[in-house]
Amino acid sequence: MMDFLAELWRFMRARKKFWLLPILIMMVVFGGLVVLTKGTVFAPFIYTLF
């Protein structure tokens, strides 16, 4: 996993693709939110965001 992150960072730094960083962070946050709230009382409220 750390190899993947290091390679992704080298790609973004070499190709000047820093605009990808906020998109990737939001994808990780929303993915974690869906995984953590699966089967809980908050699930219907989370699914309305999508």
Side-chain angles (χ1 to χ4, degrees), residues 3-44:
D3 292 334
F4 172 73
L5 293 176
E7 186 175 343
L8 181 63
W9 176 250
R10 283 193 303 266
F11 168 77
M12 288 192 305
R13 194 175 59 187
R15 305 271 195 294
K16 306 291 191 252
K17 302 276 185 191
F18 293 111
W19 56 270
L20 287 173
L21 195 59
I23 296 170
L24 293 173
I25 290 172
M26 290 309 294
M27 286 176 57
V28 168
V29 167
F30 281 132
L33 194 61
V34 168
V35 167
L36 290 176
T37 60
K38 187 173 182 155
T40 64
V41 193
F42 299 110

